[in-house]
Amino acid sequence: MNSNGTVLRIQGRVQGVGFRPFVWQLAHKLNLTGDVCNDAAGVEVRLADKEGAFIAALYAHCPPLARIDSVQAQAFQWPQPPQGFTIRESAGGAMQTHIVPDAATCPDCLRELNDPANRRYRYPFINCTHCGPRLTIIRAMPYDRPLTAMADFPLCAACAREYADPSDRRFHAQPVACPHCGPQLFWRAGAERAQKEAALQAAVAALQAGLIVAVKGTGGFHLACDAQNPAAVARLRARKRRPAKPLAVMLPDAGGLAPAIQARLSTPAAPIVLVDKQVLPALSSAIAPGLNEVGVMLPSNPLQHLLMQALARPLVMTSGNLNGRPPALTNEQALDELATIADGFLLHNRDILQRMDDAVMRADGEVLRRARGFVPDAIALPPGFREAPPMLCLGADLKNTFCLARGGEAVLSQHLGDLSEEGVEAQWRQALDTLSDMYDFHPQRVVTDAHPGYRTTQLAQTMGLPVQRVLHHHAHLAACMAEHRWPLEGGPVIGLALDGIGMGANGQLWGGECLRVDYRQCERLAGLPAVALPGGDLAARQPWRNLLAQFLAFVPGWQTLPEAAALLTKPWRPLARAVAREVNSPRASSCGRLFDAVAAALGCVGETQSYEGEAACLLEALATRGGAVAHPVTLPLVEGELDMAAFWAQWLRFDAPACARAWAFHDALAQGLATLARHHARAQGLSVIACGGGVLHNRLLRERLTFYLRDFTLLLPRALPAGDGAIAFGQAAIAAATFS
């Protein structure tokens, strides 16, 4: 006989986080009858009783990795009154629920890992519903074991009992395993072979001996060595052909660090956090040469915990790749591509199905690289955005991410890197295919950058869909606005877009702009004056070329200056003629190239940058080394435009140590940009200023801008990267606005 009941549709991050057993336990505690199951939309709960107290308890006692976005209740007719409360099999359909990011080893699993009485003692793949790999092992949805990399590891009887028991914290934990039925370690070093615990000990011995070990993780490989051994770090740099780019360091624990840093390191995302060198244990000076900060992290998976417990010292943990190639994902790739770098390989036989780099953050929460622990969390579009059709947003070519936008939400992919590098595009396609399949996502249009030379633009043209092009800096600012939930109909804001180079209106190259923007329109008001890029793309790699261009444009008689001594040894005369004739010297209003020029003038960077942004990073480090100084340098506003000639005249006359001159540059630039934004904000009657672009990762510039614009509402990127890692999300907001 039929009986009345209620069905609850629960959406959010509710699969793969122990939500069904939580519901099961809660229902039993409240003496409710019914059932629960996963489906494509999230979790469905059917109750034969009143739902009020149950819904309140759902929110009050949500599992640690879960997040409830909505609960919708509807009347339901039971064919037969249920007896007790049960868990039903998962249902299929078009995916709408959120997929859970990989999560660092939880305290319960860490205790078991170190408990000799536990059957998973020292098992490098211990996990439960509160931790472990998620996206990196998924083949398809719904998230059940047969559709993951764990399908190759049938459960033993003991694990099967835990997996089937709703009262156990491993109930339907898809990666659940133990030493008897799960993945295993093995070691390769020349002819040397070892398995299981012996493999781990071989890796420990190699690291203690100063050797380099390739370690397979959950989303890729790391190259590890002793971070306190200068010879080991030097060998790693030489073999990897990475002369100066900073290396990440894994610490055994967070002891001695500020509470805010410890808290950030210990989240389930377990990101790399930038920390001042002076508060860290003594490290090789080659870890982050010329910089004041080091990226540090704590162990995020059981294998890393076992390594760090055995070594009890900091390890370099840098991406396991050849210079110019993406991280290796398979054992075969690692053994082939890293053979000239690693002395040994600590491998395992669980497949990595999705590349997932370590996320990078500052202690205050500013995200520099959004990856493991954050992806693929969906991001809600701001108020006012109505149901938009499915749109694929391809982002930029550098620091690439892509975005799946549908309805009022967007899913931003993990960091994938430079699409021009060999192998990155293949990983990009794999990630796109996987996320599209998971979400049953079929785009009706593709959104890309306005630059015709971008690989993403070319890819868009091959997809057979309508293409919408978005200005690079419009996307930067839209991403910042959307992150801060600026409403669709909130009106325009003043935008400061500061980066290297991006395609602007009418084919102009922008990079230091003051704009009037909303989600639908972007108008340039003013900005840094456009300056030649001598040699075109070479100017982005050789900072001295930008100093030459600045001198040619703004500093008469520059050849007699002390700052010009190094320039005079370069082939400056033919370049000056090329600039005058506009031969291979496009003009760009680039803030990034201005940083390069000042770094070259101070001699704090070599002839050629060994990594993107090296000159700017070294300049910021130099500026913060001496602290704030009084100085006479300004970047004045003349008829609504920034006067670079006045800046250079004042800065070149400022006789002070290099660190003081570097600080004066940052301060004068921030004050000039703030004056520019204030001038146009008042002329436009606006009170909100949004910022975007990779230059905004400069902490000192952010601090000085915040100081000089304290009388305005200032929006700065925080939860999403200021640089190109958020371009795809900005494109999604702009494209969705056309349908709202």
Side-chain angles (χ1 to χ4, degrees):
M1 65 181 206
N2 291 349
S3 64
N4 294 329
T6 303
V7 61
L8 303 179
R9 307 290 320 174
I10 306 171
Q11 292 185 305
R13 191 199 284 176
V14 291
Q15 291 193 16
V17 292
F19 202 85
R20 286 178 300 163
F22 158 65
V23 167
W24 182 87
Q25 292 169 27
L26 185 60
H28 280 268
K29 182 178 179 181
L30 297 175
N31 295 315
L32 301 178
T33 59
D35 58 33
V36 59
C37 78
N38 283 344
D39 66 10
V43 167
E44 181 184 83
V45 180
R46 300 190 302 183
L47 297 173
D49 310 271
K50 297 289 185 182
E51 75 279 0
F54 180 78
I55 293 176
L58 284 178
Y59 282 100
H61 305 289
C62 195
L65 294 182
R67 186 189 69 244
I68 299 172
D69 292 341
S70 67
V71 179
Q72 297 178 342
Q74 292 181 330
F76 175 73
Q77 287 288 316
W78 287 94
Q80 294 289 333
Q83 303 298 314
F85 194 93
T86 60
I87 296 177
R88 288 187 291 138
E89 288 296 318
S90 298
M95 188 64 198
Q96 296 175 25
T97 191
H98 299 172
I99 301 165
V100 182
D102 289 25
T105 307
C106 71
D108 288 333
C109 283
L110 189 56
R111 276 193 296 272
E112 293 176 351
L113 182 71
N114 292 301
D115 179 4
N118 191 279
R119 69 189 190 90
R120 292 187 176 87
Y121 175 58
R122 298 185 62 77
Y123 181 55
F125 305 95
I126 189 171
N127 68 87
C128 69
T129 53
H130 301 155
C131 67
R134 298 293 195 274
L135 179 61
T136 52
I137 62 167
I138 292 176
R139 296 188 191 278
M141 293 300 285
Y143 176 54
D144 282 329
R145 192 179 183 94
L147 300 178
T148 73
M150 297 303 296
D152 297 333
F153 302 97
L155 292 169
C156 67
C159 286
R161 282 194 297 272
E162 295 170 327
Y163 183 85
D165 181 0
S167 67
D168 194 286
R169 97 173 183 279
R170 291 189 169 88
F171 175 76
H172 280 215
Q174 307 309 335
V176 67
C178 74
H180 303 293
C181 65
Q184 301 293 339
L185 288 181
F186 54 99
W187 169 257
R188 297 288 183 270
E192 184 184 356
R193 300 286 189 272
Q195 293 184 334
K196 300 183 179 180
E197 181 68 23
L200 177 65
Q201 296 307 320
V204 169
L207 291 165
Q208 289 173 330
L211 300 180
I212 299 165
V213 174
V215 182
K216 187 177 183 179
T218 56
F221 279 76
H222 285 103
L223 289 165
C225 72
D226 185 344
Q228 296 178 314
N229 184 329
V233 177
R235 277 197 301 275
L236 175 59
R237 285 200 175 279
R239 292 179 184 178
K240 198 176 178 184
R241 299 178 187 175
R242 185 173 175 166
K245 190 174 182 180
L247 301 167
V249 171
M250 182 170 286
L251 302 176
D253 57 63
L257 298 179
I261 297 173
Q262 293 190 29
R264 190 69 61 189
L265 288 168
S266 302
T267 61
I272 295 171
V273 178
L274 298 188
V275 177
D276 289 338
K277 282 181 178 178
Q278 58 263 33
V279 304
L280 294 171
L283 301 172
S284 165
S285 60
I287 294 292
L291 303 180
N292 300 334
E293 297 176 308
V294 173
V296 301
M297 56 182 156
L298 295 179
S300 65
N301 64 56
L303 177 56
Q304 291 174 352
H305 279 286
L306 292 170
L307 280 173
M308 298 308 292
Q309 289 170 6
L311 291 159
R313 60 194 300 110
L315 286 182
V316 168
M317 278 282 187
T318 191
S319 56
N321 64 302
L322 288 170
N323 193 15
R325 289 187 59 83
L329 298 184
T330 68
N331 295 338
E332 294 73 22
Q333 273 184 308
L335 290 166
D336 177 38
E337 296 177 4
L338 305 181
T340 58
I341 303 177
D343 299 301
F345 296 81
L346 185 57
L347 307 173
H348 60 75
N349 58 344
R350 185 178 66 197
D351 289 342
I352 299 171
L353 300 182
Q354 284 294 309
R355 169 186 164 187
M356 195 62 63
D357 296 2
D358 301 304
V360 182
M361 304 179 69
R362 292 192 182 276
D364 65 0
E366 180 197 350
V367 173
L368 307 181
R369 182 170 75 196
R370 190 172 181 271
R372 178 176 48 78
F374 296 91
V375 176
D377 270 351
I379 307 168
L381 293 174
F385 283 86
R386 295 193 293 273
E387 292 293 313
M391 297 177 294
L392 170 61
C393 307
L394 300 186
D397 277 12
L398 296 177
K399 298 179 178 62
N400 178 265
T401 62
F402 60 83
C403 187
L404 312 182
R406 178 171 60 193
E409 285 190 332
V411 173
L412 189 62
S413 79
Q414 67 269 43
H415 166 89
L416 291 159
D418 184 351
L419 285 177
S420 69
E421 290 183 353
E422 183 182 357
V424 172
E425 187 175 320
Q427 292 184 354
W428 181 92
R429 290 181 182 276
Q430 179 189 29
L432 176 59
D433 288 345
T434 300
L435 282 179
S436 297
D437 287 346
M438 287 178 183
Y439 285 98
D440 193 26
F441 185 83
H442 304 284
Q444 296 179 15
R445 73 164 52 188
V446 60
V447 188
T448 189
D449 195 274
H451 198 303
Y454 272 13
R455 179 59 182 152
T456 47
T457 304
Q458 297 162 6
L459 289 168
Q461 293 168 344
T462 67
M463 293 183 175
L465 294 169
V467 176
Q468 179 176 347
R469 295 190 177 183
V470 172
L471 294 181
H472 190 84
H473 298 91
H474 192 190
H476 268 313
L477 296 173
C480 177
M481 293 161 61
E483 175 194 330
H484 286 274
R485 309 288 294 159
W486 185 255
L488 176 63
E489 304 302 340
V493 305
I494 294 296
L496 288 175
L498 311 172
D499 64 0
I501 293 174
M503 184 60 67
N506 303 316
Q508 296 175 327
L509 297 178
W510 288 354
E513 317 309 313
C514 180
L515 306 167
R516 183 182 189 272
V517 295
D518 57 28
Y519 292 111
R520 298 185 178 97
Q521 298 182 21
C522 172
E523 176 190 359
R524 187 182 191 275
L525 302 174
L528 291 171
V531 177
L533 301 173
D537 290 343
L538 271 176
R541 297 194 293 273
Q542 297 182 329
W544 64 268
R545 292 173 180 265
N546 301 293
L547 179 60
L548 174 64
Q550 291 284 330
F551 279 177
L552 290 172
F554 305 117
V555 186
W558 59 269
Q559 293 91 336
T560 62
L561 296 169
E563 291 83 0
L567 266 185
L568 297 177
T569 67
K570 303 291 191 297
W572 68 269
R573 286 187 175 88
L575 279 178
R577 289 193 293 269
V579 168
R581 297 170 183 171
E582 300 182 356
V583 175
N584 195 26
S585 301
R587 293 166 61 82
S589 53
S590 171
C591 192
R593 301 294 79 80
L594 176 59
F595 270 83
D596 292 349
V598 175
L602 289 174
C604 65
V605 67
E607 178 175 329
T608 301
Q609 299 190 81
S610 65
Y611 61 91
E612 185 195 5
E614 180 181 10
C617 291
L618 294 171
L619 183 62
E620 181 190 6
L622 179 64
T624 56
R625 211 160 286 153
V629 296
H631 63 87
V633 184
T634 64
L635 179 51
L637 204 62
V638 177
E639 297 181 355
E641 296 283 349
L642 292 169
D643 186 351
M644 288 303 302
F647 162 78
W648 280 108
Q650 296 171 29
W651 189 82
L652 291 166
R653 287 197 302 267
F654 181 39
D655 185 14
C659 58
R661 299 181 77 195
W663 199 93
F665 162 70
H666 283 79
D667 187 57
L669 177 61
Q671 187 173 25
L673 290 168
T675 302
L676 177 70
R678 179 179 289 105
H679 170 82
H680 288 287
R682 288 176 174 165
Q684 300 279 331
L686 303 175
S687 61
V688 176
I689 298 171
C691 300
V695 171
L696 269 300
H697 285 312
N698 183 305
R699 182 170 58 171
L700 178 57
L701 184 66
R702 286 170 73 106
E703 290 172 355
R704 300 314 293 163
L705 274 173
T706 301
F707 174 77
Y708 287 120
L709 289 170
R710 60 191 180 277
D711 51 336
F712 283 82
T713 299
L714 183 64
L715 308 181
L716 289 166
R718 187 173 182 274
L720 299 178
D724 285 3
I727 283 284
F729 180 63
Q731 292 172 346
I734 292 166
T738 64
F739 293 94
S740 300

